[in-house]
């Protein structure tokens, strides 16, 4: 496709900008696993089967989570144009069709929506060390409220025994993944990539790789090129804030809904001057994910684990242009 059509009363150029905002969502290894179909009366969100990561995400759960985060960004961008997005989540049509966004009427952008939208280009996954300055109770309350606003629950892991158990789950999950050749091969294809690529995780300036004693950041995204904290004498924080996000629904729809909540939490953290990174391995390994649900006494399965603190600015990861995320609807397009 060489041209993105107009939709929802927006011009083609407006749609390009809206989709560019949607594409700034976080995703596993920056795979950007979404695609859009644009029609005059709707924008459809689809999971892109060519961007699945089957070793780390065999059931597509993290892909749907990332697509949900892109959907939240899309909603924010439409609000900036005075459009109330009418969102329908799908579970029983094509398995890759996740949501359809239609024009739900005119509505003014709120101050909160404006603040969150402004945070979209500033939100970065930050795997660097944070300072030892603690996240305040007021900041954690704001993050909980952000999750609740999207019908999700954010559990803050504060109890020392819970934190120690979470650390053991992290060690177990990381060891299981490193023992899997398919996971290692997939991880190598998507990390420490050529900086000219528009996806994947490049080695960012001054990026570090974890040392053996770093408790909460086990993955090396530099393929051995980064200096360790032991070599630089810049150690990771001892006690980051640790939070677990759970959706209030079940099934694939819950993962798209949880992705919207996740992005709202991350953008709210950005507005508060906080940094965040993912402890995705705990969720990706089925036994540790189930043990985590028991640990936090959850009735719903955990969808994301975040490390949050006060960090220094990091560079943005690359993003595909909007035109690369859009496809021409086929003859069986959604109605």
């Amino acid at each position: 496709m060489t041209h993105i059509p107009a939709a929802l009363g927006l011009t083609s150029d407006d749609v390009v900008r809206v989709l560019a905002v949607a594409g700034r969502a976080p995703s596993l290894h920056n795979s950007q696993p979404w695609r859009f179909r644009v029609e005059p009366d709707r924008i459809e969100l689809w999971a892109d089967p060519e961007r699945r990561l089957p070793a780390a995400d065999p059931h597509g759960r993290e892909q749907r989570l990332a697509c949900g985060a892109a959907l939240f960004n899309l909603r924010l961008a439409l609000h900036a144009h005075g459009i109330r997005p009418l969102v329908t989540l799908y579970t029983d049509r094509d398995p890759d069709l996740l949501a359809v966004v239609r024009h739900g009427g005119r509505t003014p952008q709120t101050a909160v929506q404006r603040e969150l939208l402004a945070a979209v280009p500033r939100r970065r996954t930050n795997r660097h060390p944070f300072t030892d300055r603690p996240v305040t109770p007021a900041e954690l309350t704001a993050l909980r409220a952000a999750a609740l606003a999207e019908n999700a629950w954010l559990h803050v892991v504060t109890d020392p025994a819970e934190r120690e158990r979470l650390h053991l789950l992290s060690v177990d999950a990381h060891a299981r993944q490193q023992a899997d050749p398919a996971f290692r091969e997939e991880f190598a294809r998507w990390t420490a990539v050529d900086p000219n690529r528009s996806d994947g995780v490049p080695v960012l300036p001054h990026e570090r790789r974890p040392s053996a004693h770093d408790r909460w950041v086990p993955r090396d995204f530099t393929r051995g090129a980064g200096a360790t904290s032991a070599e630089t004498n810049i150690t990771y924080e001892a006690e980051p804030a640790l939070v677990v996000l759970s959706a209030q629904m079940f099934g694939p729809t819950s993962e798209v809904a949880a992705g919207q909540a996740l992005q709202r939490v991350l953008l709210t953290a950005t507005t508060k001057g906080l940094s965040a990174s993912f402890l995705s391995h705990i969720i990706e390994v089925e036994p540790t994910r189930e043990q985590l649900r028991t640990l936090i006494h959850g009735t719903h399965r955990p969808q994301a684990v975040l490390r949050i603190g006060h960090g220094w600015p990091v560079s943005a990861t690359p993003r595909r242009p909007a035109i690369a995320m859009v496809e021409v609807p086929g003859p069986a397009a959604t109605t």
Side-chain angles (χ1 to χ4, degrees):
M1 189 176 210
T2 59
H3 175 72
I4 295 178
L8 306 181
L10 300 175
T11 67
S12 173
D13 288 344
D14 286 337
V15 174
V16 169
R17 286 187 283 268
V18 164
L19 294 183
V21 171
R24 292 299 316 174
S27 58
L28 178 61
H29 304 341
N30 192 30
S31 54
Q32 303 169 53
W34 44 71
R35 53 195 172 109
F36 300 93
R37 289 183 181 177
V38 180
E39 293 277 8
D41 65 337
R42 65 187 179 270
I43 298 175
E44 300 175 359
L45 170 65
W46 293 69
D48 188 338
E50 296 183 358
R51 291 179 169 271
R52 290 191 179 121
L53 279 69
D57 187 28
H59 304 295
R61 187 196 58 79
E62 284 190 275
Q63 181 178 40
R64 290 186 289 273
L65 198 72
C67 288
L71 177 59
F72 184 78
N73 280 1
L74 179 63
R75 288 166 49 198
L76 287 177
L78 291 175
H79 277 296
H81 288 277
I83 296 172
R84 181 174 71 88
L86 182 61
V87 178
T88 304
L89 301 184
Y90 283 89
T91 58
D92 56 356
R93 301 285 292 272
D94 187 303
D96 289 331
L97 174 60
L98 301 180
V100 175
V101 182
R102 296 182 173 86
H103 199 306
R106 306 295 302 183
T107 183
Q109 182 186 35
T110 68
V112 171
Q113 290 163 351
R114 187 178 302 110
E115 185 179 31
L116 293 176
L117 180 61
V120 168
R122 295 187 286 114
R123 183 216 61 82
R124 314 278 169 78
T125 298
N126 190 338
R127 296 181 298 273
H128 289 208
F130 299 159
T131 73
D132 283 320
R133 175 185 166 195
V135 178
T136 67
E139 290 166 338
L140 291 172
T141 296
L143 300 185
R144 283 198 188 101
L148 284 172
E150 297 297 325
N151 299 310
W153 175 252
L154 197 69
H155 176 86
V156 182
V157 185
T158 56
D159 179 77
E162 274 192 10
R163 291 174 70 90
E164 182 56 31
R165 180 60 183 154
L166 182 62
H167 174 246
L168 294 176
L169 293 180
S170 173
V171 172
D172 183 23
H174 182 63
R176 288 174 185 253
Q177 288 187 324
Q178 292 306 304
D180 180 359
F183 175 85
R184 296 198 307 271
E185 188 275 332
E186 182 179 84
F187 187 82
R189 281 191 289 112
W190 284 94
T191 61
V193 300
D194 187 309
N196 294 319
R197 267 179 61 169
S198 60
D199 58 7
V201 183
V203 179
L204 301 176
H206 311 297
E207 180 135 18
R208 298 174 180 83
R209 55 190 174 96
S211 301
H213 63 272
D214 292 322
R215 287 171 60 84
W216 299 113
V217 186
R219 285 178 172 173
D220 176 15
F221 285 84
T222 73
R223 209 176 300 170
T228 66
S229 56
E231 292 168 338
T232 61
N233 202 30
I234 301 175
T235 58
Y236 281 84
E237 71 286 353
E239 297 293 342
L242 300 169
V243 301
V244 182
L245 179 78
S246 301
Q248 300 295 337
M249 302 160 59
F250 293 96
T253 298
S254 73
E255 291 149 6
V256 178
Q260 295 181 86
L262 172 66
Q263 183 66 347
R264 186 166 191 139
V265 169
L266 292 171
L267 293 177
T268 300
T270 301
T271 67
K272 303 295 181 185
L274 298 170
S275 297
S277 65
F278 293 84
L279 303 181
S280 300
H281 55 294
I282 302 174
I283 297 289
E284 290 164 358
V285 175
E286 196 66 24
T288 56
R289 184 184 181 201
E290 191 57 35
Q291 291 175 62
L292 176 60
R293 176 166 69 166
T294 301
L295 177 67
I296 65 174
H297 309 290
T299 55
H300 295 77
R301 305 187 77 190
Q303 300 287 359
V305 183
L306 298 173
R307 156 187 168 255
I308 298 175
H310 294 272
W312 289 272
V314 295
S315 301
T317 50
R319 285 298 189 276
R320 295 183 293 153
I323 195 70
M325 300 185 291
V326 175
E327 65 176 44
V328 178
T334 307
T335 58

